[in-house]
Amino acid sequence: MQFKDLGLDNRLLKTLNHYDFRKPTDIQKQAVPVVIAGKDLLASSKTGSGKTLAFVLPMLHKALKSKAFSAKDPRAVILAPTRELAKQVYGELRSMLAGLSYEATLILGGENFNDQVKALRRYPKFIVATPGRLADHLEHRSLFLDGLDTLILDEADRMLDLGFAPELRRIHKAAKHRRRQTLMFSATLDHAEVNDIASEMLNAPKRIAIGVSNEEHKDINQRFYLCDHLDHKEAILERVLEEAEYRQLIIFTATRDDTERLCAKLNEKKLKAVALSGNLNQTQRNTIMSQFERAVFKILVTTDVASRGLDIANVTHVINFDMPKHTEEYVHRVGRTGRAGNKGDAISLVGPKDWASFKRIETYLQQDLTFSVLEGLKGKFKGIKPRKPDLRGKKADATKVKGRKKPVQKKKPVKRDKSFHQNVAVGDAVFVPKKKVAPKVDDE
């Protein structure tokens, strides 16, 4: 199947040909006809599967083929959980808008609010936004969604995990009319909150699942190394960087302090590294991401802030210096490499503090993960064995356990007579009044 078989407008096909996009991916094959038919959609697909074009193409086709509900309101709003992902979606949208007389704008938290108000007063037909900032504009009445054609939620599970449910409901309420089409994409359809909010916002949606999130990624070679402690991790990291033939590489850490510390160590070795974390302002983050995309820096050290929405073809290696707390984040981290048919390497360093996360990931992936060893860097840590269950039962004789004293049995409380005395309830203490003895009278 080719894109021309999906029934898309010829203007879109010309743009696709310009970018040498010939064959749709699996998610695009199934999602585009559903959206063109006007149905609501609840879909999941693994990272790097071409999900963005799966909703951008039919959204633009609808705008080209149908009349808008309102001259001033946007025709479509695309919501993304993070600023990085929103920027990536906006970039792909701008590429597809080439040659079309439509304007799009990007609305992100952390950027100048008044500049965004000015952009919205130009009445853009397409808006890509983070939920919090878009809800702020609705509250300040700088944006109205009464005539919205299409509402798209990208990575809905992540938005809900970040606590954006109230903002999503507020946006839904502002654009609640029977002719609105809603598309929701999630890493998994087994997310309880996703299904709850989908029942509120979607009308009889078509469900599509392309490649479950825990499915093995054929284009990514995964390796795991056991580490004794922090110094051992750093030694393995140094060896990997010496031996790996990488073009660009991302290192994921657990904390902001670790990103800065590791970045400083790598720069001491002249490895051209840059650190990205959530404590930077938007301008700093934009600058760092732009420099990494242009290969000014070959290594990006970051927290999970960049685990979603980063689409750079030259990223050949991903290293988990610390294992992620949430199993889904592992999939998104390693998914930064091996994209669009390219091969990639994902390397994870597992220490004692990472063991619980590693076992959860192993269960989630439904794979028996094995450990590799680097010559001269084999550690002593072999993993943490699960505790053996106590099979003795509750009635085990404590006297048979070595070194344990027999428990002292508590005396049972004495039962007290709580009967009635002369038809009066007196409780535990029965008070019997003594009869007064008449005084003796002296006859004399």
Side-chain angles (χ1 to χ4, degrees), residues 352-367:
K353 291 182 179 179
D354 303 298
W355 186 254
S357 297
F358 168 77
K359 295 304 290 182
R360 286 195 298 268
I361 290 166
E362 188 177 44
T363 302
Y364 179 75
L365 296 178
Q366 298 177 7
Q367 300 174 27

Side-chain angles (χ1 to χ4, degrees), residues 109-127:
E111 296 193 350
N112 190 283
F113 191 88
N114 292 328
D115 289 344
Q116 293 174 353
V117 171
K118 292 175 183 176
L120 291 172
R121 284 176 183 167
R122 293 196 291 267
Y123 305 121
K125 292 305 173 188
F126 303 101
I127 296 174

Side-chain angles (χ1 to χ4, degrees), residues 35-41 62-63 65-70 74-76 145-152 172-183 201-203:
V35 182
I36 289 178
K39 297 179 181 179
D40 285 5
L41 176 66
K62 183 178 181 180
K65 294 294 186 181
S66 63
K67 189 177 179 180
F69 297 146
S70 168
R75 298 209 62 171
L145 301 178
D146 301 298
L148 188 71
D149 284 359
T150 310
L151 177 62
I152 301 168
H172 165 61
K173 187 178 180 181
K176 193 174 182 181
H177 58 86
R178 63 185 180 84
R179 296 181 67 186
R180 188 195 82 197
Q181 186 178 17
T182 309
L183 317 177
M201 300 177 66
L202 276 65
N203 180 27

Side-chain angles (χ1 to χ4, degrees), residues 236-302:
I236 291 178
L237 175 64
E238 186 176 343
R239 177 74 66 82
V240 168
L241 293 176
E242 287 175 358
E243 296 179 354
E245 295 180 2
Y246 61 89
R247 291 197 295 273
Q248 282 185 284
L249 180 146
I250 302 176
I251 301 173
F252 286 102
T253 64
T255 67
R256 299 170 184 174
D257 292 339
D258 284 339
T259 62
E260 295 170 3
R261 182 182 57 80
L262 268 182
C263 183
K265 285 200 169 192
L266 295 173
N267 282 319
E268 286 176 5
K269 300 180 183 297
K270 311 295 183 185
L271 290 177
K272 288 188 177 181
V274 65
L276 176 69
S277 60
N279 62 336
L280 301 174
N281 62 43
Q282 189 60 36
T283 303
Q284 291 171 320
R285 290 168 72 170
N286 290 345
T287 302
I288 289 171
M289 292 308 301
S290 174
Q291 290 173 331
F292 186 64
E293 288 173 7
R294 290 184 285 112
V296 176
F297 296 97
K298 295 189 70 174
I299 300 174
L300 176 69
V301 188
T302 181

Side-chain angles (χ1 to χ4, degrees), residues 178-231:
R178 63 185 180 84
R179 296 181 67 186
R180 188 195 82 197
Q181 186 178 17
T182 309
L183 317 177
M184 185 179 291
F185 289 80
S186 172
T188 173
L189 299 184
D190 297 327
H191 195 290
E193 274 193 281
V194 168
N195 284 290
D196 288 343
I197 206 159
S199 64
E200 295 179 36
M201 300 177 66
L202 276 65
N203 180 27
K206 172 74 175 177
R207 297 172 71 95
I208 296 174
I210 304 294
V212 293
S213 58
N214 62 352
E215 190 177 76
E216 185 178 1
H217 202 311
K218 302 296 183 183
D219 293 328
I220 301 175
N221 176 35
Q222 300 179 76
R223 283 179 285 158
F224 298 85
Y225 294 96
L226 287 170
C227 307
D228 294 340
H229 40 66
L230 182 61
D231 291 339

Side-chain angles (χ1 to χ4, degrees), residues 114 137 149 160 167 343 359:
N114 292 328
H137 282 287
D149 284 359
L160 294 170
E167 287 79 6
K343 299 293 182 181
K359 295 304 290 182

Side-chain angles (χ1 to χ4, degrees), residues 184 209 332 421:
M184 185 179 291
H332 287 285
H421 176 70

